[in-house]
Amino acid sequence: MSHDRPAPAFGLVIVGDEILSGKRADKHMPKVIELLAERGLSLSWVRYVGDDRPRLQAALRDAFASGDIVFSCGGIGATPDDHTRQCAAAALGVELELHPEAKALIEERMRDVAREQGQTWEPERSDNLHRLNMGVFPRGATIIANPYNKIPGFSCTGMGQGAVHFVPGFPVMAWPMIESVLEQRYPHLFARQQRREQSVIVFGAIEAALTPLMEQIEAAHPAVKVFSLPSVDHPDWGRHVELGVKGPVAAAEAAYADLLAGLRATDAPLGPELVRG
């Protein structure tokens, strides 16, 4: 990728009724944020989708069209409530097919299990044939190795150059697989541009009153984002707004200097300054 072009954004799709019903708490988003941050990257968006084929297909169609790098967690098994593989194929407009590398890995796993249990592996047994469905991926997919139990995930790229990497919902499998995808496919993006977040506490502030200054800073410094985080009952600072900027280090520093100057020109009561990144 040319370094003249902006780096692609990272997205996350989390699949499963159990997340939306509250039966299970999502652990993927904070972990993906952590894995990206360790490499100087950040998560741009997250989408939660239940086990509903039309909604999941629409979410994946958007991901494939986005041009982003997207991780999709969950729903790639072979039980009736797993729809991710089918929806990915439909979103891409391709057929599903048994991936030869996935087939070999799944058969290797079944042989391992049979050996561990002191049994003879019977490849034509109905349950073993059913397990091969876990290797049925959209045509053109590439596999993602699973160090936990060898049952692979898969990756596909859409017409809009959105690359979606599909992993299981189980964190013990998903997280090493996501990390391996980052290490093997995207090292050229790591710490591509050091980023900075700088902010200041504005005591007794109201966001509406700060909006013109925020708009002015963003217009003057297009490489940064201005943010405001209001609080009405902070134990130390009481009612306040944390007002700041984030972006590439040099751009953020210049924008923050202008932000402080603008606040001081209004005699806004300022508190602690915060720096992250």
Side-chain angles (χ1 to χ4, degrees):
M1 175 179 292
S2 168
H3 289 274
D4 294 331
R5 297 172 61 187
F10 284 85
L12 179 62
V13 176
I14 299 170
V15 182
D17 286 345
E18 68 278 3
I19 299 294
L20 298 180
S21 68
K23 288 181 180 178
R24 288 188 179 178
D26 169 46
K27 299 178 181 179
H28 293 303
M29 184 175 72
K31 184 62 177 182
V32 170
I33 290 172
E34 175 188 321
L35 291 173
L36 291 171
E38 289 171 354
R39 294 159 175 81
L41 306 170
S42 60
L43 187 63
S44 295
W45 57 267
V46 180
R47 193 163 177 177
Y48 291 88
V49 189
D51 298 312
D52 177 278
R53 286 204 183 195
R55 290 183 186 277
L56 180 53
Q57 183 176 328
L60 294 178
R61 188 184 303 115
D62 290 346
F64 285 126
S66 67
D68 297 339
I69 298 165
V70 182
F71 294 101
S72 175
C73 302
I76 64 170
T79 56
D81 59 341
D82 291 318
H83 307 298
T84 302
R85 293 177 293 110
Q86 297 88 336
C87 290
L92 289 166
V94 301
E95 298 297 320
L96 286 164
E97 60 184 19
L98 180 59
H99 193 289
E101 291 180 69
K103 179 177 184 287
L105 286 165
I106 294 168
E107 289 179 338
E108 182 179 339
R109 170 62 178 171
M110 289 190 289
R111 282 194 298 268
D112 291 345
V113 171
R115 184 169 54 252
E116 291 166 4
Q117 296 176 348
Q119 300 175 353
T120 301
W121 177 52
E122 302 175 66
E124 300 304 317
R125 204 172 67 193
S126 61
D127 59 332
N128 285 332
L129 289 174
H130 177 72
R131 290 187 177 97
L132 291 178
N133 288 327
M134 291 186 291
V136 173
F137 302 148
R139 182 177 297 151
T142 58
I143 66 168
I144 303 172
N146 181 344
Y148 184 80
N149 66 1
K150 299 183 181 178
I151 309 299
F154 63 98
S155 300
C156 299
T157 301
M159 293 292 290
Q161 297 306 302
V164 185
H165 306 287
F166 296 89
V167 299
F170 300 106
V172 69
M173 302 178 196
W175 298 351
M177 294 169 76
I178 291 172
E179 189 160 21
S180 73
V181 169
L182 289 171
E183 290 293 330
Q184 293 172 17
R185 306 192 188 194
Y186 302 110
H188 58 289
L189 299 177
F190 295 175
R192 185 178 180 197
Q193 194 171 44
Q194 294 297 321
R195 300 181 68 80
R196 175 73 55 81
E197 178 179 307
Q198 291 183 257
S199 61
V200 63
I201 301 302
V202 186
F203 292 121
I206 299 174
E207 282 186 295
L210 298 172
T211 299
L213 177 59
M214 295 171 67
E215 293 174 340
Q216 176 186 330
I217 297 300
E218 283 205 337
H221 302 273
V224 306
K225 290 184 178 179
V226 180
F227 65 89
S228 62
L229 300 173
S231 178
V232 296
D233 57 356
H234 191 278
D236 297 321
W237 302 330
R239 183 188 184 95
H240 74 274
V241 172
E242 179 185 349
L243 186 64
V245 299
K246 53 187 175 182
V249 172
E253 289 177 344
Y256 183 67
D258 287 352
L259 181 69
L260 280 182
L263 289 169
R264 287 169 177 152
T266 65
D267 294 323
L270 304 182
E273 297 182 36
L274 309 171
V275 178
R276 306 179 183 93

